[in-house]
Amino acid sequence: MTGQLRAAIYARFSTDMQRDASIEDQIRSCREYAARQGLKVVETYSDRAVSGASLMRSGMQKLLRDGRSGLFDVVISEGLDRLSRNQADIAQIYQSLLFAEVMIETVSEGAISEMHIGLKGTMNALFLKDLAVKTHRGLKGRALAGKSAGGLTYGYSAVHQITPNGDPIRGDRTINNGEAAVVRRIFQDYAKGISPKKIAEALNVEGIPGPQGGEWGASTIHGNRERGTGIINNSAYIGRQIWNRLRYVKDPATGKRVSRLNPESDWVITEVPDLRIIDDALWEKVRTRQGALKSKETGVPVWDRRRPRTLFSGLMECGCCGAGFSKVQKDSFGCSAARNKGKAICTNMTTIKQKDLEARVLDALAHHLMDPEAVTAFCEAYTAERNRLASAATSTRTTLEKDLATTKRDHGKLVDAIIAGVPADQVKDKMIALDARRKELEGQLAQADSSAAPVRLHPKMSETYRERVAALIRGLADSEGMEEAREAIRGLIEKIVLTPRADGSGLTVDLHGALASLLLLATGAPVHRIARMAAGGQNDKSSAGAELQGVDMIDKSVLVAGAGFEPAAFRL
């Protein structure tokens, strides 16, 4: 075995304007660089037509996972901007790979250091900002000219033309007669009083593809009137194009884009009579019906009303199609897809009374989950896993301590050099880098110490669990503590799967417990902490293992009543 360093190559191109061969060009360039540096290429990663402004890229995510697994020692890319153009993201990539002791080298910049991350990250961020301004300006010009400045709207087809010098002409559209007929049908049916979900059901039964090529849903038709979304709210169908109604910003927590409504003064409205599909009379009939559907009590439009909140709303799932269950009658739940998209998507029309569902689930939480035999098995498995992790942590700590000692020693040598007469400006950058490394290593050691002590779990915690669940259920009748008890109970549940019984006698209810939350309750954690996780959503539930140091390796498992800790559910 030689001491040759192992290298991974990453390549990316971001738009359809770049050639797909760009990936191969980048990889070839990186391979040549690796050969010159004496590196052995063991893996390649790539993302095609994906923006560098986000880390939500399959190739990049796989590279980071493999880097943490020790698959390679160096990442090679054509340039730092191929890894990311976002300043925060490139810093995150650098820190993640640095922690895994993986270096970054690029064909254009060579070995990457903190200086490159700061300077190039800033330059790339400014490039993105400048590109966004120029793109917005160009799109506004298209919109003012009556051309498409965004995605292609259902009911229209793109017109492909080129200029005499061979450049494509973008933004021209023409009416797609087949889709336009569907648009007119939707408007006419809605104006007659047919509900969006019935319209969607009929289109799905006939096999008519939706705007994205899939099924039709009620929301695709009614959308949001204020935001101009949904078929019946799109003013393009009356020959009026509205551009810049919405703007999109990236949520730094998820990396996903979210829309926000712009002030009406920023909208660009252009008349395009040649693209009219719906006449004014039909358009106004639809507007009139929408106005009539406002709630008499609140005045909230039907497209903005939220479903009535119940104890288990949002946790129920159809066992046939995976869609959610929602209120279909005053006191009953049913499959949303079966009612909104029709039998072509789901045939589960069986309902369950709210009172019956809540009684069955609460009884299971109180008497079946946290079975004593299952808890004993878990405690044994937990102890074994903690011993394995403790051994691994000891090895990691030894490595960190050695690195810290080396860093301090190197820093001390530079101080001695300055004392001996070496100009400080010659070693300043190296000293700053070593000091930053020292702080990083000290932080990693502190983190290792804080996570060293395992949570103490006892086989009899099932008794504590039952007592606390019973108290929570009683709290549902207490006006003061009702909300906290409700949210805490929701936090104990991963999902509730409802499937029709073969004999047609009702629904089978499969209850999946949220393991980390169940253990938190059983080990005496405050109720408000579990309630907060439930209120925060699924992401908070899945990270609840952080509250139980050492339990995070199983926080996505499902606690099974009476059947050990297997990925299954308790059937009611």
Side-chain angles (χ1 to χ4, degrees):
M1 182 174 178
T2 69
Q4 189 177 24
L5 293 177
R6 302 161 299 165
I9 292 173
Y10 178 79
R12 175 187 65 82
F13 75 88
S14 58
T15 69
D16 295 331
M17 296 175 65
Q18 292 178 277
R19 299 178 302 117
D20 189 67
S22 172
I23 292 288
E24 283 65 42
D25 293 341
Q26 292 176 47
I27 291 176
R28 183 174 59 254
S29 175
C30 291
R31 284 189 181 278
E32 292 171 355
Y33 177 88
R36 292 196 300 270
Q37 301 298 320
L39 303 172
K40 178 183 178 182
V41 176
V42 296
E43 188 59 270
T44 60
Y45 304 85
S46 62
D47 287 301
R48 300 172 187 270
V50 179
S51 170
S54 170
L55 279 184
M56 296 299 110
R57 299 174 253 151
S58 59
M60 174 55 68
Q61 291 299 317
K62 189 173 189 301
L63 179 142
L64 293 174
R65 288 196 301 272
D66 289 350
R68 289 191 291 269
S69 300
L71 190 64
F72 44 80
D73 306 300
V74 185
V75 171
I76 303 174
S77 189
E78 191 174 55
L80 200 57
D81 61 343
R82 295 302 86 199
L83 294 173
S84 179
R85 288 188 181 276
N86 182 280
Q87 193 170 14
D89 288 347
I90 192 64
Q92 182 179 339
I93 293 170
Y94 179 78
Q95 292 296 332
S96 178
L97 292 176
L98 183 66
F99 178 74
E101 299 184 334
V102 175
M103 299 176 287
I104 301 176
E105 297 192 19
T106 69
V107 177
S108 58
E109 293 102 356
I112 299 301
S113 66
E114 286 89 347
M115 181 181 69
H116 292 91
I117 298 301
L119 293 178
K120 294 290 290 187
T122 301
M123 291 170 62
N124 288 331
L126 291 174
F127 170 82
L128 282 178
K129 186 175 181 180
D130 183 57
L131 179 63
V133 171
K134 290 178 178 177
T135 301
H136 191 271
R137 184 170 63 238
L139 291 176
K140 184 175 182 179
R142 277 200 214 169
L144 289 169
K147 297 177 180 289
S148 173
L152 190 64
T153 302
Y154 184 81
Y156 303 97
S157 298
V159 176
H160 300 286
Q161 301 180 78
I162 58 173
T163 62
N165 62 3
D167 293 331
I169 300 174
R170 304 181 186 278
D172 287 333
R173 297 154 293 170
T174 187
I175 294 175
N176 180 314
N177 292 326
E179 292 181 358
V182 176
V183 171
R184 294 189 190 96
R185 168 181 168 179
I186 289 172
F187 272 80
Q188 290 164 355
D189 287 350
Y190 186 86
K192 291 175 184 175
I194 301 176
S195 69
K197 64 181 181 182
K198 289 295 183 183
I199 296 173
E201 179 178 351
L203 294 171
N204 288 328
V205 168
E206 295 174 33
I208 298 173
Q212 302 300 322
E215 309 96 19
W216 289 87
S219 61
T220 307
I221 293 169
H222 66 67
N224 183 294
R225 185 173 180 179
E226 274 69 29
R227 289 172 171 259
T229 59
I231 294 291
I232 62 174
N233 298 312
N234 196 333
S235 60
Y237 298 135
I238 57 170
R240 181 182 301 125
Q241 176 178 276
I242 301 179
W243 178 78
N244 204 39
R245 190 198 299 258
L246 302 174
R247 70 183 184 279
Y248 294 86
V249 294
K250 188 177 82 168
D251 184 342
T254 63
K256 296 182 179 180
R257 294 199 317 159
V258 296
S259 64
R260 292 178 179 171
L261 188 65
N262 284 328
E264 196 166 341
S265 58
D266 291 344
W267 299 0
V268 177
I269 302 176
T270 311
E271 298 297 329
V272 282
D274 292 344
L275 298 179
R276 177 188 283 271
I277 293 176
I278 301 298
D279 59 50
D280 289 337
L282 182 55
W283 177 263
E284 290 304 323
K285 284 182 181 178
V286 168
R287 306 274 77 69
T288 300
R289 185 179 175 219
Q290 282 182 314
L293 286 174
K294 285 188 177 181
S295 166
K296 294 180 180 178
E297 293 81 10
T298 65
V300 178
V302 66
W303 52 88
D304 279 345
R305 282 206 303 268
R306 298 185 182 275
R307 293 186 180 94
R309 185 172 179 81
T310 64
L311 183 56
F312 300 127
S313 60
L315 298 174
M316 295 171 284
E317 180 181 301
C318 176
C320 296
C321 69
F325 257 57
S326 58
K327 274 288 187 72
V328 295
Q329 297 173 7
K330 184 179 179 181
D331 60 351
S332 299
F333 296 103
C335 174
S336 300
R339 285 155 180 80
N340 293 334
K341 298 183 178 181
K343 295 180 179 179
I345 307 304
C346 184
T347 59
N348 182 7
M349 298 296 289
T350 309
T351 62
I352 185 168
K353 295 287 187 182
Q354 178 180 340
K355 184 181 294 186
D356 180 30
L357 174 72
E358 292 180 357
R360 291 164 70 180
V361 172
L362 290 175
D363 180 70
L365 281 173
H367 300 105
H368 300 292
L369 286 176
M370 278 290 181
D371 178 82
E373 292 183 8
V375 171
T376 300
F378 169 74
C379 290
E380 293 173 354
Y382 171 77
T383 301
E385 180 64 11
R386 283 305 305 169
N387 289 336
R388 186 189 68 79
L389 291 176
S391 176
T394 300
S395 176
T396 300
R397 180 176 179 80
T398 301
T399 301
L400 291 173
E401 288 175 339
K402 289 174 64 177
D403 287 349
L404 181 58
T406 301
T407 301
K408 288 181 176 179
R409 184 170 58 251
D410 291 345
H411 189 277
K413 290 178 180 178
L414 293 178
V415 173
D416 292 341
I418 294 174
I419 295 173
V422 175
D425 58 352
Q426 292 185 14
V427 296
K428 177 183 175 182
D429 291 343
K430 183 64 175 177
M431 290 185 71
I432 292 174
L434 286 171
D435 192 55
R437 178 61 175 161
R438 175 186 61 79
K439 292 178 180 177
E440 179 187 1
L441 290 169
E442 288 174 346
Q444 291 174 9
L445 281 168
Q447 185 176 9
D449 290 339
S450 67
S451 61
V455 171
R456 298 185 182 279
L457 302 180
H458 192 280
K460 289 189 176 181
M461 66 183 182
S462 58
E463 298 176 9
T464 303
Y465 166 83
R466 286 201 174 90
E467 292 173 0
R468 301 194 73 194
V469 167
L472 287 177
I473 294 173
R474 290 194 299 271
L476 293 174
D478 180 10
S479 58
E480 283 191 20
M482 179 177 63
E483 281 305 314
E484 185 172 76
R486 173 191 287 252
E487 291 303 329
I489 287 174
R490 288 174 56 82
L492 302 176
I493 298 171
E494 187 71 27
K495 61 181 177 179
I496 302 168
V497 181
L498 300 117
T499 310
R501 292 195 179 101
D503 59 6
S505 61
L507 290 167
T508 295
V509 182
D510 293 322
L511 174 62
H512 294 243
L515 178 56
S517 297
L518 290 163
L519 291 175
L520 278 174
L521 185 71
T523 52
V527 170
H528 67 80
R529 196 188 300 175
I530 301 162
R532 187 168 63 246
M533 287 192 297
Q538 194 62 35
N539 288 337
D540 286 339
K541 279 187 191 178
S542 63
S543 64
E547 300 279 357
L548 286 164
Q549 300 162 12
V551 182
D552 52 300
M553 67 280 185
I554 53 161
D555 66 358
K556 291 183 180 178
S557 302
V558 179
L559 183 61
V560 184
F565 287 79
E566 304 166 357
F570 180 74
R571 178 158 289 179
L572 311 182

